[in-house]
Structure formats: structure tokens, C-alpha cells
Amino acid sequence: MSHDLTDLFGPAIHTYTRAQAIEDGALREVPADLAREAGFRYPLALTSAAWADAVAWDHGGVQGETGRLWDVLTMARHALANTPPWEDRALFDVLRVPNAPRAQSPRRTTLRVHFGPGDNAEPVLTILMPNED
């Protein structure tokens, strides 16, 4: 006799999909061509908090969001490459100049990359702050 989780727990009260999170801006999708160029085979997104901390740049000059995103992707890729295959997440550090007026000195920030199922159980990656789920 087969039972699914609905038989055991009842219907879901609320669901919030990855697609909805991207549409709402809670997740920022990395363009597929950039993700592939950085060595990722699966869809990749950053939480809005991770994006604001490590990628966002509002001050012109030689910094730009594409370069800052590339730094995050490079460090995430190295973290995943050095993580045992049974682990679904890895912490990594990236040096970035804080997104603040007149900031010039790089500061270390810690992020986490998580490998898990998407809305249809397809493999996806998410980069988030260490305290986010």
C-alpha cells in the first residue's frame, strides 16, 4: 500500500516556489550564459541579501556588478569543487569593496552555495548569506 505525504500530513497550507521568488525579487537569477562560462551546469540564483552584500554596486568607477558577480561565481565554483559529493552546501569567502560611498578597501564576506531541487525537482544552485535558508 502506497502513501504519499499528503495522506500523512494533509494538503500544503502554503507554497512559495523558486519561480515566484525570482519574480518577486527575493532571488536574482544569474544569466545562464554567464553561469555556464563560470563553469555551472545548472540554473543559479542569489538571494537579494547576498546580491546586495557582494554584487550590488552603485558608485561607478572601476567596479561593476558583472565583475563583482564573476568574483562571487568563481569563489562559489571553487568551494563546490572542494566539497565532498554527499554535501549539498558549501561556505566560501569573497573579498569585495563594500557598496558604500568612498569605500575603497576590500572586506571579506562569507556566503553559502546550496545545491538542491528546484520547483520540479530539477537541480538548481542558490548563493545565500550564511544565516539564510
Side-chain angles (χ1 to χ4, degrees), residues 55-66 68 97-104:
V55 177
W57 187 252
D58 304 317
H59 308 288
V62 297
Q63 294 265 333
E65 288 187 351
T66 301
R68 291 166 65 92
V97 175
N99 187 18
R102 295 184 296 283
Q104 295 179 356

Side-chain angles (χ1 to χ4, degrees), residues 23-46:
E23 185 177 321
D24 294 347
L27 286 178
R28 300 275 306 254
E29 203 167 21
V30 174
D33 58 336
L34 183 62
R36 268 192 311 279
E37 188 178 341
F40 293 95
R41 300 183 324 198
Y42 303 114
L44 177 63
L46 281 80

